[in-house]
Amino acid sequence: MSVEVAYRVSSTATGGGRDGHVESGPGRVKLDLQPPVELGGSGRGANPEELFSAGYAACFLGALRLVAKNAGVAIPDDATVTVTAGIGKDLVDNGFGLVADIAVSLPGMNQAKADEIAQAAHGFCPYSKATKGNIAHTVTATV
């Protein structure tokens, strides 16, 4: 893939990775990390899956709005995208793998058009493209 990079940002993890600290270069993100209870941690800090789901949701909503605009479709102001990220045992290599369930809410829109725009956004979103073929995705739209 060729990308004409318009923006770059770095973040640095210290400590034990999932049990440590992460900070972005600009300093807007400064979080202590703790594994979730389900993975044997205290659950008192953020974790990489939370950060992934937050970034993915924001990126997908932006992609949804742009795809709809380019198609001449009005997206309701109260549209939302919720990404539920999951982590668990990878049954192929016995390591870990991710899944992402993407729930798009487009109140008042025709269901067929909502499905079409959600799928088009999934094909356009940089997070979706980066993870295509690497994690299982579901995309659902509700109106």
Side-chain angles (χ1 to χ4, degrees):
M1 174 190 296
S2 293
V3 176
E4 185 178 316
V5 177
Y7 172 73
R8 290 183 188 272
V9 65
S10 298
S11 294
T12 301
T14 58
R18 288 181 164 276
D19 195 0
H21 185 82
V22 68
E23 187 168 334
S24 66
R28 289 184 292 271
V29 175
K30 296 178 182 181
L31 297 170
D32 289 327
L33 302 174
Q34 296 269 313
V37 173
E38 296 83 354
L39 295 179
S42 70
R44 287 187 227 133
N47 63 66
E49 290 70 41
E50 286 179 281
L51 299 172
F52 176 73
S53 70
Y56 202 160
C59 188
F60 198 99
L61 182 56
L64 185 79
R65 290 193 180 281
L66 186 58
V67 164
K69 179 182 175 185
N70 290 343
V73 176
I75 293 291
D77 290 338
D78 56 349
T80 62
V81 172
T82 301
V83 174
T84 303
I87 185 170
K89 184 178 178 181
D90 184 326
L91 301 176
V92 174
D93 70 5
N94 212 29
F96 287 91
L98 297 173
V99 298
D101 298 318
I102 304 161
V104 177
S105 175
L106 296 165
M109 185 177 276
N110 168 286
Q111 184 67 53
K113 184 56 73 177
D115 292 337
E116 177 186 326
I117 294 297
Q119 289 302 320
H122 187 48
F124 184 79
C125 174
Y127 273 68
S128 292
K129 291 194 302 188
T131 58
K132 184 178 181 180
N134 296 311
I135 71 172
H137 297 90
T138 61
V139 179
T140 56
T142 58
V143 295

